[in-house]
Amino acid sequence: MTAGRVIVLNGTSSSGKTSLGRALQDRLDGTWLLLGIDTFITALPWKLYGTPDGHTINDDGTIDFGDAWHAERSRWRAAVGSLARSGSNLLLDEVFTEGAVDQSRWAEALAGIDVTWVGVHVDVEVAATREQARGDRNIGMARQQALVVHEGVRYDVEVDSTSAAPEELAAQLQLALS
């Protein structure tokens, strides 16, 4: 069995990772599954939200993570690695809230798999405006995450979604991957 490929899109909330992932699904050959932090969060039981054991989004946009969160997150990463090893091509829409530490955790889970690390950058004011317009995000998350998501992270490719459309960024990435 041939392992799939993985493209990790890391950036702050509202940086355009999901839109970029969807555009990549349309451009890249074969079938690519789009998974990521939002997939994981929606899979968690609601009873973990706002608890010390789960995760709590604070008024300033920072997030506290508990033991159950960390345990399930570790199992999630292992499962995603298994999915790629079984042959699935994956686009991971991620927010490295612990910068290089999160990249290291993902690198361990994806060991032996062809991984491309993509930094999705955006002007923090643009991200904050997008966050406000979305209506489904806690205000302040984009600003808080912008301080840490790229800290110490090593990328193969970096893009900036401040003024570029997802389709344009997908074309840039497709070219860089070929």
Side-chain angles (χ1 to χ4, degrees):
M1 180 179 331
T2 303
R5 293 179 58 198
V6 177
I7 300 172
V8 179
L9 307 170
N10 176 50
T12 187
S13 176
S14 300
S15 63
K17 300 176 307 297
T18 304
S19 298
L20 174 55
R22 291 287 180 211
L24 283 167
Q25 284 179 308
D26 290 342
R27 292 189 71 88
L28 298 175
D29 291 335
T31 301
W32 288 78
L33 302 177
L34 178 59
L35 303 172
I37 189 64
D38 288 342
T39 314
F40 171 70
I41 289 170
T42 58
L44 288 172
W46 288 111
K47 67 183 179 182
L48 288 178
Y49 288 82
T51 68
D53 204 32
H55 82 290
T56 302
I57 302 172
N58 301 307
D59 290 340
D60 66 356
T62 58
I63 305 173
D64 296 324
F65 303 102
D67 291 342
W69 166 277
H70 285 295
E72 289 305 321
R73 187 79 166 121
S74 179
R75 288 188 274 273
W76 167 258
R77 283 189 294 270
V80 169
S82 293
L83 187 59
R85 283 185 194 84
S86 73
S88 292
N89 293 316
L90 306 176
L91 296 161
L92 294 183
D93 172 349
E94 282 297 316
V95 178
F96 291 174
T97 57
E98 295 183 73
V101 172
D102 279 333
Q103 184 177 36
S104 176
R105 290 174 180 145
W106 271 112
E108 183 179 327
L110 301 172
I113 299 169
D114 181 8
V115 178
T116 301
W117 303 93
V118 179
V120 181
H121 298 275
V122 64
D123 178 87
V124 71
E125 295 304 323
V126 171
T129 299
R130 290 176 185 170
E131 178 181 67
Q132 182 81 31
R134 288 175 74 165
D136 67 346
R137 293 290 187 258
N138 291 64
I139 303 305
M141 281 180 30
R143 287 184 190 283
Q144 287 297 325
Q145 293 170 0
L147 300 173
V148 297
V149 294
H150 300 295
E151 192 170 298
V153 178
R154 178 197 51 79
Y155 294 114
D156 299 305
V157 182
E158 297 184 60
V159 296
D160 190 323
S161 70
T162 300
S163 59
E167 295 75 18
E168 180 183 342
L169 297 177
Q172 289 175 19
L173 278 174
Q174 185 180 28
L175 184 61
L177 296 170
S178 57

